[in-house]
Amino acid sequence: MRSRICQLNRQSPRRPLRLVCVTDEGSRNAAIPGERLARNPIVQGWAFSDEPYRVIPCARGDVEGCRSSLGRRPGRGKGRMGVMEATGLPPGHTPEGGVLVGSEGARRRLVVFEDPQCPYCREFEERSGDLLRREVAAGAVAVEYRIRCFLGDESVRAANALAVASGGGRFDELRREIFANQPPEHSGGFTTEDLLDLGSRVGLTTGDYVAGVRKGRYERWVREIDEVFEQQDPQGTPFALLDGRAIDSESLYDPEALGALIRA
């Protein structure tokens, strides 16, 4: 049986990233991609700036060598390289960059990776979405959705809209509406007007949502966090972890099997 997941075409050119080292004598030499940096005295929040920088470790702790290879940003003091103005997470997100649907006190935690343009993610929602909502309502599980955007610009636009929607408390409603109205891959869908229309159907009519979608407020952030999610989800979407353990992909499309796993 053909695996029902959407995968990144490994032959496709990757988005260019400027690699930047965050260093400081007397502290950890550098942060790793996607790590929350609360323990780093230089940067509070996440290692994503207003520019497409990615934070990497210095090889063998070679601070000066790393500085030489990556270059010093203009206007920065000694020992303060790289991402100094971390944008932080969009409102409504977990420290890991996902959006939690359900209670923090739920008995179990399901982490789900989805791409808005992935047809198998839509199938997963159609088959098992109602089951998950029942289990969430019963307090059996909380679902953390980590939205990917590796299938193209359409996915980036939709992921940005979802990031904006999380701040307005309508993330899951918009997510479901997006899958219910999913265009074919790489068809130019999920336009700005499409996403404004889908948002209006679930009550997202505020100026903040409209501006966030029109201006692509979090597009850079969703591209960067997708690089992190790729390390956690190397196979493709949908992918899920139940209390840290991967779930067999076929179980995601079988509500009885998935429900049994959650209630076990």
Side-chain angles (χ1 to χ4, degrees):
M1 179 182 294
R2 183 178 182 271
S3 180
R4 288 185 287 179
I5 58 174
C6 291
Q7 296 175 306
L8 175 68
N9 179 359
R10 297 291 173 181
Q11 302 305 314
S12 298
R14 298 302 307 225
R15 294 184 297 273
L17 283 174
R18 181 178 178 183
L19 301 180
V20 176
C21 179
V22 174
T23 64
D24 183 49
E25 290 80 9
S27 71
R28 294 162 60 240
N29 283 342
I32 62 174
E35 183 181 0
R36 197 179 186 194
L37 302 179
R39 290 171 296 171
N40 190 307
I42 303 176
V43 182
Q44 298 297 317
W46 282 73
F48 304 123
S49 75
D50 290 331
E51 300 179 47
Y53 295 161
R54 183 173 180 181
V55 178
I56 62 171
C58 291
R60 299 180 301 279
D62 181 8
V63 176
E64 292 303 324
C66 190
R67 285 176 178 161
S68 298
S69 63
L70 295 176
R72 183 184 300 275
R73 290 188 65 190
R76 302 302 180 197
K78 181 178 179 181
R80 292 179 175 264
M81 302 250 323
V83 185
M84 298 297 292
E85 306 91 15
T87 59
L89 294 167
H93 284 67
T94 67
E96 293 74 26
V99 178
L100 189 67
V101 176
S103 169
E104 284 278 2
R107 187 173 67 88
R108 310 199 73 172
R109 176 70 62 92
L110 182 69
V111 175
V112 176
F113 296 85
E114 295 180 330
D115 187 301
Q117 225 185 161
C118 171
Y120 300 117
C121 295
R122 182 191 67 226
E123 182 180 354
F124 167 56
E125 171 60 27
E126 290 171 348
R127 289 175 175 262
S128 298
D130 287 343
L131 173 277
L132 289 179
R133 283 183 280 281
R134 288 195 299 271
E135 297 296 337
V136 165
V141 69
V143 183
E144 181 184 339
Y145 290 98
R146 298 184 184 177
I147 301 299
R148 302 204 53 195
C149 60
F150 63 90
L151 290 175
D153 291 341
E154 298 92 336
S155 295
V156 172
R157 291 192 293 268
N160 171 71
L162 286 165
V164 178
S166 69
R170 291 286 188 274
F171 166 85
D172 197 42
E173 292 85 346
L174 181 61
R175 186 189 68 84
R176 291 157 60 185
E177 198 69 25
I178 279 175
F179 282 131
N181 295 274
Q182 185 187 68
E185 290 182 55
H186 310 299
S187 64
F190 291 142
T191 66
T192 296
E193 295 308 316
D194 290 338
L195 294 165
L196 292 178
D197 177 58
L198 295 176
S200 70
R201 299 183 193 184
V202 298
L204 287 165
T205 58
T206 64
D208 183 72
Y209 177 75
V210 172
V213 171
R214 288 199 182 281
K215 296 179 180 180
R217 180 182 299 158
Y218 299 120
E219 285 189 3
R220 197 178 301 277
W221 182 83
V222 300
R223 289 181 186 274
E224 291 284 355
I225 198 68
D226 187 65
E227 296 285 335
V228 178
F229 291 163
E230 183 181 353
Q231 305 304 311
Q232 303 166 3
D233 166 33
Q235 299 303 314
T237 55
F239 175 67
L241 299 164
L242 182 62
D243 293 336
R245 294 192 174 188
I247 294 178
D248 174 72
S249 62
E250 289 305 310
S251 296
L252 296 178
Y253 305 100
D254 184 342
E256 286 191 16
L258 183 56
L261 287 171
I262 290 171
R263 293 187 293 271

